[in-house]
Amino acid sequence: MQCIFDMDGEHVNNRIKIARVGKSLTQVQLAKKVGVTRQTIGLIEKGQYNPSLQLCISIAKTLEKTLDELFWEDQNDG
Amino acid sequence: MDKSWISFLLPDDEYKEKKMLYFMAESAVLLAVALFIYALITNVELYGSSETGTLAGLSFVFLTGYVLVRYTFSGIEYTDIVGHNSYQKEKKTILFRSLMFLITFLVASIILKGIPADMEELLDLLGPSILAAVFMYFWNYISLKRSYQKNKDLLDD
């Protein structure tokens, strides 16, 4: 199962990056915490990879955000 | 994620799609093992070489080679190589690994075939060994270069 994720929009991907920077984490640090490679985090932030729900939850927990805050697409975003 | 050319064979439902991909991969691995065993059995010295065995061997090479080529050119092998320094360091590691491979290959050949008696035997030993090591180095170098390029594109702004 994969997250509801707007692959074409920059908004969802930017939110992950903003949340990560807000927590003062580098891509490498976030990758280590959620158990993936840096490349995978980079791909998610660029909207080139659609993560599984499990990975979405892991990222959300690490960044202390809800799935909504990170992955939900608002009408205004689209 | 970018879709592959095989997408047209897969169902739209993502659960079924993933299951189908597993089934296809399992089938490919089983086929590769079967081809390898068949090629070995039909080409052992006892029976001499056989055309079907060679064909099975070539099919095995294609099956494994296709995966290797796609894997190498997709740039997903060296996921953490981003900076120029780590790239250069990894290049040296690849060179070292290739040299170690060359030495191992030479030692193994000498153990199996004995010490070369003349120049021709020496060339027969050195030629394939050096060729294999050079191939190994360049193949890993391509993979590293592709990974480095991909990682740079995904780097923190």
Side-chain angles (χ1 to χ4, degrees), chain B residues 75-131:
Chain B
I76 57 173
E77 188 171 4
Y78 299 91
T79 50
D80 291 322
I81 305 297
V82 179
H84 186 69
N85 286 342
S86 54
Y87 171 70
Q88 291 296 340
K89 198 176 159 193
E90 196 61 39
K91 238 166 76 170
K92 280 179 195 160
T93 309
I94 287 173
L95 183 66
F96 178 73
R97 267 209 314 260
S98 303
L99 286 172
M100 286 308 291
F101 171 79
L102 176 64
I103 292 165
T104 313
F105 199 97
L106 284 172
V107 171
S109 298
I110 289 169
I111 290 170
L112 288 172
K113 295 177 185 170
I115 297 166
D118 52 32
M119 197 62 177
E120 199 182 322
E121 275 187 27
L122 182 69
L123 286 175
D124 279 347
L125 175 69
L126 284 178
S129 312
I130 292 172
L131 212 66

Side-chain angles (χ1 to χ4, degrees), chain A residues 1-2 7 17 20 27 37-39 42-43 46 48-50, chain B residues 1-2 14 75-76 79-80 82 150-151 153-157:
Chain A
M1 189 171 181
Q2 292 178 320
M7 298 308 291
K17 188 170 178 177
R20 173 175 62 76
Q27 283 180 334
T37 63
R38 177 198 191 139
Q39 201 178 58
L43 286 164
K46 290 268 177 187
Q48 292 172 22
Y49 175 64
N50 207 357
Chain B
M1 192 166 76
D2 292 335
E14 66 178 53
I76 57 173
T79 50
D80 291 322
V82 179
K150 189 180 178 110
N151 293 338
D153 294 340
L154 299 171
L155 186 67
D156 274 323
D157 294 328

